[in-house]
Amino acid sequence: MSGLIGSKLGMTQVYDDEGRVVPVTIIEAGPCVVTQKKMTDRDGYEAVQLGYREAKEKHTTKARAGHLKASGGTLFRTLKEFRGDSELSVGDTVSADLFSEGQRVDVVGTSKGKGFAGTIKRHNFTSGPKGHGSKNVRAPGSIGQCAWPARVFKNKKMPGQLGNVTRTVQGLTIVKVLAEENLLFVRGAIPGPVGGTVTIQPSVKG
């Protein structure tokens, strides 16, 4: 098993063995239930699908409800696949004791959505002159070309939606594991608001 689904509970600080203050994010990791197991001979690859947080029937599509009948009929808000071979079976429960203190992990989450933003806030552009008569204080400046090619190139840094995108923070260290309460204390910050759903996996960088 190579990962777990959880939710961000917020940030606090703890003291390490040398008395130094360490900023940590508290993650409620699991418990997750195995809802499907994929095999190489049948599906073409090895993977385990986990379900996290029970959902009401009125908030679940018929397709998802039918898919979850095979694992006992319990409905879940979030489903996530983790690749790799595993000895788990459908219906088994996975909790925070999957990880250990000192282990390095990668956390994937959705950053906070901040709506429409200009280029200064969105791309860290420098503002224009603020003196008398200036008409280009926060405007992006020239974005187009001349008579040729007479268009704006794709991927130009422009005003637009800021945030609400999937982001991964790599190489975070687990400071403390409270297996009885399914809590992980991870050093540093992770993406998303309090209550946001995140995925915790062993770090790809070791």
Side-chain angles (χ1 to χ4, degrees):
M1 190 62 217
S2 61
L4 205 59
I5 311 170
S7 58
K8 178 179 177 179
L9 298 185
M11 292 195 70
T12 184
Q13 56 189 23
V14 296
Y15 291 95
D16 62 11
D17 297 336
E18 299 179 5
R20 295 175 298 188
V21 175
V22 179
V24 295
T25 302
I26 304 177
I27 302 174
E28 182 185 38
C32 299
V33 178
V34 178
T35 56
Q36 186 182 16
K37 189 171 182 180
K38 297 197 172 182
M39 311 295 291
T40 304
D41 55 350
R42 183 185 61 201
D43 305 294
Y45 64 98
E46 299 275 344
V48 171
Q49 185 187 79
L50 298 182
Y52 176 65
R53 282 185 174 174
E54 293 189 12
K56 295 180 180 179
E57 185 177 358
K58 66 178 182 178
H59 295 153
T60 306
T61 62
K62 290 183 179 179
R64 174 169 288 194
H67 168 69
L68 293 172
K69 279 185 179 180
S71 60
T74 304
L75 305 179
F76 295 98
R77 295 187 195 177
T78 305
L79 298 178
K80 173 73 176 177
E81 271 191 13
F82 295 92
R83 292 224 175 187
D85 189 19
S86 175
E87 298 179 355
L88 296 172
S89 302
V90 174
D92 290 349
T93 301
V94 188
S95 55
D97 55 9
L98 179 68
F99 299 100
S100 57
E101 294 183 7
Q103 184 177 356
R104 295 171 69 85
V105 295
D106 297 338
V107 179
V108 182
T110 302
S111 62
K112 292 181 181 180
K114 300 183 179 181
F116 187 92
T119 54
I120 291 179
K121 182 175 182 180
R122 192 182 187 208
H123 300 296
N124 199 29
F125 278 18
T126 302
S127 62
K130 298 181 177 64
H132 180 68
S134 173
K135 298 181 180 179
N136 187 23
V137 178
R138 297 184 70 89
S142 177
I143 61 170
Q145 312 303 312
C146 197
W148 185 89
R151 64 187 177 88
V152 178
F153 289 133
K154 289 183 179 180
N155 301 320
K156 177 71 68 174
K157 292 182 178 179
M158 301 277 283
Q161 167 73 31
L162 176 61
N164 194 31
V165 291
T166 301
R167 287 289 180 261
T168 302
V169 181
Q170 295 181 323
L172 298 178
T173 303
I174 296 179
V175 178
K176 184 187 296 185
V177 178
L178 299 181
E180 303 82 10
E181 303 175 31
N182 287 313
L183 297 180
L184 298 178
F185 288 67
V186 178
R187 178 168 187 153
I190 64 174
V194 173
T197 302
V198 297
T199 302
I200 312 103
Q201 297 176 272
S203 179
V204 296
K205 296 182 177 178

